[in-house]
Amino acid sequence: MVLGAFGWWMATRVLDAEGFADVVAKSSQQVEVRDYVADQATLRLARTSNFVSAARPVVSDAISAAIATPPAEEAIRDFALRAHEQVFQARGARRVDVNSQEAAVTIRSALQTINPTLAKKLPANVLDATTTISQSDTVDLLFRASRWVEDLYLPSFLLGVGILVLAMVYARERVRAIRTVGVTVAVAGGLLLGLGFATPAFSTVAATSDPLRGDAVAAFIAVLVGRLVGAGQAFFVFGLALAL
């Protein structure tokens, strides 16, 4: 059942372009993420503008507020959607067929909806990074596993439910079996809940010399695993109720 829940989360929040874009858009509206993006933007602008350098806190607050608007959120969602589709698209039998020209077309078209001027000035290193991500071993693994995950997560969950039901129906001591099943499901839910409780640890690991970066990473992961934590809560409550 836990494997089924994990597969459902993978299929709807990581492997699905719409789901992943929704995660990116929602996380971009978190205060920690907006503050980090605004801080990094003003840090770079301050190098070329004395005004920004002198009024950096004000400019940072303005950028953070601008990100928290519906048009900005929609632009971020659209960009993440296009980027996900670019990374996971398959050309022929080999994933390495993705080339920089295809990356350029997709990234520039996405930026065109946000900032046409910026799209024309797209640096070459952005294309290199996109191509590297598209051809990474991790993405190849996810791409190959995506069809199996999408096809098997529901049967896996139903199989788990069926096994638990059979265990309770055919148990010699039914009350004890029901209690054991309930405790087992609650513990499984607790494992999924642990992902949510561990989110602050990601902040410490990713902080390095910039504490805002760690908070932003933790906020993104919290949004990313939200559905998985929700499934853990459902398992925990159901298992506890069954055991009692």
Side-chain angles (χ1 to χ4, degrees):
M1 290 171 63
V2 171
L3 287 176
F6 188 81
W8 165 73
W9 168 75
M10 284 281 292
T12 59
R13 299 311 255 181
V14 179
L15 301 175
D16 180 66
E18 291 282 353
F20 184 76
D22 188 53
V23 168
V24 174
K26 286 184 177 180
S27 62
S28 72
Q29 302 306 299
Q30 302 298 310
V31 175
E32 297 84 356
V33 176
R34 291 193 287 109
D35 288 348
Y36 175 68
V37 172
D39 180 74
Q40 293 299 305
T42 52
L43 180 63
R44 285 159 176 74
L45 290 173
R47 298 172 183 172
T48 58
S49 172
N50 292 331
F51 171 77
V52 175
S53 179
R56 186 180 169 189
V58 177
V59 176
S60 180
D61 290 342
I63 294 177
S64 179
I67 296 174
T69 58
E73 182 180 4
E74 188 61 32
I76 293 170
R77 177 181 283 104
D78 184 64
F79 180 83
L81 177 65
R82 291 169 186 251
H84 189 284
E85 290 174 345
Q86 165 63 36
V87 169
F88 277 84
Q89 72 175 345
R91 297 287 179 165
R94 292 177 60 85
R95 293 277 298 116
V96 294
D97 289 341
V98 179
N99 54 47
S100 59
Q101 286 75 22
E102 293 172 332
V105 171
T106 300
I107 297 298
R108 280 203 174 93
S109 62
L111 282 177
Q112 191 72 30
T113 64
I114 303 173
N115 190 325
T117 303
L118 180 61
K120 296 178 181 179
K121 299 179 180 180
L122 184 68
N125 60 350
V126 172
L127 301 183
D128 294 339
T130 304
T131 306
T132 300
I133 293 173
S134 298
Q135 298 177 357
S136 72
D137 294 337
T138 301
V139 172
D140 286 342
L141 178 62
L142 287 173
F143 183 83
R144 290 193 298 267
S146 61
R147 181 172 298 177
W148 290 99
V149 171
E150 293 171 352
D151 290 344
L152 295 179
Y153 77 85
L154 183 57
S156 176
F157 179 82
L158 295 177
L159 179 62
V161 173
I163 291 174
L164 292 184
V165 171
L166 289 176
M168 291 185 290
V169 171
Y170 291 100
R172 294 180 179 179
E173 299 180 39
R174 186 167 298 175
V175 173
R176 183 178 179 182
I178 291 174
R179 185 180 298 115
T180 302
V181 166
V183 171
T184 303
V185 173
V187 170
L191 294 177
L192 297 179
L193 284 174
L195 293 175
F197 295 139
T199 300
F202 292 106
S203 176
T204 304
V205 172
T208 61
S209 59
D210 187 354
L212 292 180
R213 179 175 181 270
D215 293 340
V217 171
F220 173 78
I221 293 177
V223 175
L224 179 64
V225 301
R227 286 190 177 181
L228 197 58
V229 173
Q233 291 174 338
F235 280 12
F236 184 80
V237 172
F238 174 76
L240 194 60
L242 188 63
L244 294 177

